Amino acid sequence: MQERNINFYSHILGKNLSLQIIGHWGYPVLMFPTSMGSVSQNKDMGLIHSVKPWIDEGRIKTYNIETIDFESFYGKNISPHDRAYNYELYTRFLISELVPKIQEENRVHRIGLAGCSFGAYHAVNFAFKNPDIASFVIGMSGSYDISSFMRGYHDNNVYFNNPVEFMPNAESWKYNHMKIVLGTSDWDICRNETLRFSGILREKGIDHWYDEKKWAKHDWPLWNMAFPEYLGAVLK
């Protein structure tokens, strides 16, 4: 598999972020690591290899981007206000700087998004905040409520990055084009939170696939097994 590792400078964040691009051609899929994971985590843990046939055939091209977890939600010494503000800056970096580069490089407007665990939060939050640029989103074993990181603090940056909050008030028609997969398992620690978000979408009449595997824990074997199935479904 063709691989490029580059430092992508963000004027919004004022720093370089690592970007790992795997594939020579194909539909672009923006992917995120799990909480505090490295930019190469999806490759290192086998998730990228699980969809190697799609990459080798030029059907998809993955863009794995570094997160700023230590400067946002997992910044123990950072105030809740700054955690939410920093994360909002990160989403602005994605939509204003990274996504345009992906669109230009692949000559598309809409892209796919995917992630596992906290990476699922990143992918789902961004897709539902920016539905016009998302053709599909695959969230595996995600929790879509960031309130536990906020210590009771709340402002607009919290609200607009908390899918369980902003989606009940969203206009459902904006998501009619988007293919949505919410995957979990009966042993998954994030099962109830995934089910909760699925319920919100169902109440809004937003079509999606809630899939619950059996006898699998919240870990890479589950995600590596499920990802090819989910990707195959959204690429039909």
Side-chain angles (χ1 to χ4, degrees):
M1 295 183 291
Q2 182 176 312
E3 178 180 327
R4 284 188 290 146
N5 293 277
I6 64 176
N7 288 320
F8 193 101
Y9 183 75
S10 168
H11 294 276
I12 291 172
L13 296 172
K15 59 184 285 187
N16 284 314
L17 283 87
S18 297
L19 176 66
Q20 183 183 67
I21 306 170
I22 299 178
H24 61 280
W25 187 250
Y27 199 79
V29 184
L30 178 58
M31 300 180 65
F32 302 87
T34 66
S35 54
M36 299 171 284
S38 71
V39 71
S40 65
Q41 186 191 51
N42 287 323
K43 178 190 174 187
D44 297 341
M45 300 307 295
L47 193 68
I48 299 299
H49 185 78
S50 76
V51 293
K52 185 177 183 292
W54 281 267
I55 296 173
D56 288 345
E57 294 168 8
R59 296 184 63 193
I60 66 166
K61 186 176 182 180
T62 66
Y63 291 77
N64 294 268
I65 185 62
E66 181 182 357
T67 61
I68 60 164
D69 289 349
F70 289 112
E71 299 168 46
S72 55
F73 299 120
Y74 285 87
K76 295 182 178 180
N77 297 319
I78 300 174
S79 70
H81 170 274
D82 289 350
R83 290 184 188 187
Y85 176 73
N86 290 346
Y87 191 72
E88 175 61 22
L89 290 182
Y90 180 70
T91 66
R92 294 179 191 176
F93 149 70
L94 294 174
I95 191 63
S96 299
E97 297 179 326
L98 180 59
V99 168
K101 176 66 174 177
I102 296 173
Q103 291 170 323
E104 178 184 6
E105 187 170 285
N106 296 276
R107 302 173 188 173
V108 298
H109 176 66
R110 289 179 175 149
I111 66 172
L113 298 107
C116 311
S117 193
F118 206 56
Y121 161 76
H122 292 306
V124 167
N125 179 65
F126 187 74
F128 281 90
K129 282 184 69 170
N130 304 281
D132 181 57
I133 61 93
S135 62
F136 66 80
V137 60
I138 300 171
M140 293 174 281
S141 299
S143 175
Y144 308 106
D145 185 352
I146 60 167
S147 60
S148 62
F149 295 100
M150 292 295 105
R151 306 174 191 165
Y153 177 80
H154 195 271
D155 63 11
N156 282 342
N157 289 330
V158 175
Y159 176 86
F160 286 110
N161 287 292
N162 201 19
V164 298
E165 273 197 88
F166 71 74
M167 280 309 297
N169 300 316
E171 298 177 87
S172 301
W173 64 267
K174 293 181 179 180
Y175 308 93
N176 288 343
H177 67 278
M178 194 190 304
K179 295 180 179 178
I180 303 161
V181 181
L182 302 177
T184 184
S185 73
D186 56 352
W187 293 353
D188 189 357
I189 58 173
C190 287
R191 175 187 178 274
N192 290 340
E193 284 301 311
T194 302
L195 195 59
R196 175 188 176 193
F197 190 60
S198 174
I200 291 172
L201 298 187
R202 186 173 60 253
E203 290 178 7
K204 297 289 293 184
I206 298 173
D207 187 44
H208 67 287
W209 178 19
Y210 170 84
D211 182 55
E212 186 175 308
K213 303 300 184 189
K214 302 298 180 186
W215 312 306
K217 296 180 180 180
H218 183 96
D219 208 347
W220 292 98
L222 168 62
W223 307 326
N224 293 345
M225 171 188 66
F227 192 38
E229 179 184 0
Y230 298 156
L231 188 64
V234 298
L235 289 177
K236 285 182 179 177

